[in-house]
Amino acid sequence: MAEPILLYIQMAGLLVPAAGILTLVFKEQNRASLYLMLTNIGCLILNCGYLLKLMSKSYDSARMALNMEYLGNVMFYFFFAMFIMTYLGMGKIRLVLILWFIQDMAALAFLWSGELEKYIYEELVFERSESGFFMFMRAQPGVLHEARYGLTCSVLAGMMIYTTIRMLRTTNRRERVNLGKLAGAQFVIVTVLSMTLIVRMEYDIAPLFSALAIMAIIVGVIQGEFFNVIDSGKTWLVDNMESAFIVIDKEHGYQDANAYAKEMFPELKQLNRSQHVPEEVERIFDGEEEQMESGGQIYEKRRTEIRQKNEIMGYGLL
């Protein structure tokens, strides 16, 4: 009787990341929301893989489910750390995350190759439960698996301490609540990772608790409380400024424009990204004059090159 209940609980673990993905699809996108989206996708893959492994009927199907679960595991922890780093502005640990990513890719390659699997799991056995309802995995972790979990746990523990300090120092009540949710999620994840390293359990609690850890964050996103006021402020200012703002690529393909620009040049409303801008807009971009007239008003014109790694990618017009 306990095993069917456990199955339903595990299935419920799929709902949290699924709800998170659906919520974030309709939110204004920025880097932090992108990383949170990828965190939820990783969590969904992790829980789906583990559920498929539990329900497997053969060694081959269990092994395929394990590969899927490990991919979700890698995505969840890495992008959750990226989300925390971006939200808190922790740019100085970027090198650590690059090394972490390289290690994760190596772990995936070793597991999927079969021949190098011993560095992830020295011993790997799938066996059915006494009732025959579940397929459980019994494994002896290899050196790369333990190194990866140790690094993941250490980095997230350091981030948790930093988040807690930031929470105690901030005077903004809303931000303190958000940081508290982050610290709580990190505490759950670090605790589960530590238990995974120390205790060998028949039922893996990491997938389910990963979903529970991000639930408070997703609830905050649904309530409109979570994302950085700076990102929202930038979007609001650009959209509501009484100046035309237009971005094109270096081939004069349309990229973006605010509401005021679309009022001045209604043709922009019909354009898809990378479509060539109207001749009037192109003439304004190419012209050398610093002022222009439109609708009986005189406007100052500023054109700026948009560069990436010293290469001109496009132009901005204000």
Side-chain angles (χ1 to χ4, degrees):
M1 184 66 182
E3 289 183 341
I5 294 175
L6 197 61
L7 175 63
Y8 293 134
I9 293 173
Q10 187 62 44
M11 292 177 67
L14 302 175
L15 298 178
V16 174
I21 293 168
L22 186 62
T23 300
L24 289 164
V25 163
F26 297 102
K27 289 289 182 181
E28 187 73 31
Q29 294 298 306
N30 54 44
R31 185 174 295 183
S33 64
L34 171 64
Y35 290 143
L36 186 57
M37 169 78 82
L38 291 170
T39 300
N40 278 273
I41 292 172
C43 188
L44 185 62
I45 295 173
L46 171 63
N47 277 275
C48 282
Y50 187 63
L51 183 59
L52 289 173
K53 189 173 71 177
L54 287 176
M55 301 302 296
S56 296
K57 302 300 182 183
S58 67
Y59 174 86
D60 289 339
S61 60
R63 182 56 197 268
M64 185 64 71
L66 172 62
N67 290 345
M68 177 181 175
E69 178 192 356
Y70 211 84
L71 172 63
N73 181 294
V74 165
M75 288 184 63
F76 174 78
Y77 292 120
F78 179 77
F79 286 114
F80 180 72
M82 291 293 290
F83 166 67
I84 298 293
M85 183 195 78
T86 304
Y87 187 85
L88 298 179
M90 300 170 65
K92 293 182 180 180
I93 68 166
R94 188 165 296 173
L95 178 60
V96 175
L97 292 175
I98 291 173
L99 295 174
W100 182 357
F101 181 77
I102 293 172
Q103 180 184 252
D104 278 355
M105 292 301 99
L108 271 178
F110 282 22
L111 180 64
W112 289 359
S113 71
E115 296 179 0
L116 300 173
E117 178 189 298
K118 61 182 180 180
Y119 295 104
I120 307 300
Y121 297 115
E122 291 182 359
E123 180 186 352
L124 182 61
V125 177
F126 293 102
E127 53 188 15
R128 304 206 69 79
S129 59
E130 292 183 4
S131 65
F133 194 81
F134 281 153
M135 177 79 80
F136 287 117
M137 184 181 83
R138 182 162 48 82
Q140 178 63 37
V143 60
L144 185 55
H145 180 83
E146 292 197 332
R148 175 178 170 263
Y149 267 50
L151 176 63
T152 302
C153 192
S154 299
V155 173
L156 289 177
M159 286 182 167
M160 180 183 67
I161 294 170
Y162 180 77
T163 305
T164 303
I165 293 172
R166 283 274 297 268
M167 180 188 69
L168 296 175
R169 286 183 175 179
T170 187
T171 56
N172 185 303
R173 181 181 176 278
R174 175 176 172 176
E175 184 65 6
R176 180 174 289 180
V177 171
N178 290 341
L179 291 173
K181 292 176 181 178
L182 283 183
Q186 291 171 91
F187 175 78
V188 171
I189 292 172
V190 169
T191 301
V192 171
L193 277 174
S194 301
M195 290 177 62
T196 303
L197 283 170
I198 297 169
V199 183
R200 302 285 180 254
M201 293 175 286
E202 188 176 54
Y203 178 79
D204 188 358
I205 62 173
L208 179 61
F209 276 86
S210 297
L212 295 177
I214 60 173
M215 185 165 62
I217 299 174
I218 296 304
V219 170
V221 173
I222 292 172
Q223 294 175 343
E225 298 176 349
F226 213 86
F227 281 115
N228 207 316
V229 69
I230 295 175
D231 295 319
S232 301
K234 286 178 181 177
T235 302
W236 187 91
L237 284 172
V238 171
D239 285 343
N240 292 277
M241 64 195 299
E242 293 188 0
S243 298
F245 179 70
I246 306 171
V247 179
I248 63 173
D249 59 32
K250 60 184 180 181
E251 283 82 27
H252 289 190
Y254 172 76
Q255 295 297 311
D256 199 8
N258 67 353
Y260 199 88
K262 291 176 182 178
E263 286 183 14
M264 289 183 64
F265 309 103
E267 302 95 330
L268 296 177
K269 298 178 182 178
Q270 311 301 323
L271 294 182
N272 295 318
R273 181 161 293 183
S274 298
Q275 278 189 280
H276 204 279
V277 294
E279 289 185 9
E280 184 181 3
V281 175
E282 186 175 24
R283 189 167 55 251
I284 294 170
F285 265 99
D286 292 340
E288 298 297 329
E289 67 276 3
E290 295 183 355
Q291 291 184 337
M292 59 163 285
E293 182 179 353
S294 179
Q297 295 185 350
I298 303 296
Y299 294 90
E300 290 187 2
K301 186 188 78 173
R302 295 180 184 176
R303 192 187 77 160
T304 304
E305 294 177 348
I306 300 173
R307 291 179 174 269
Q308 185 175 5
K309 295 181 179 180
N310 295 322
E311 180 184 354
I312 296 176
M313 304 302 293
Y315 302 94
L317 181 68
L318 180 62

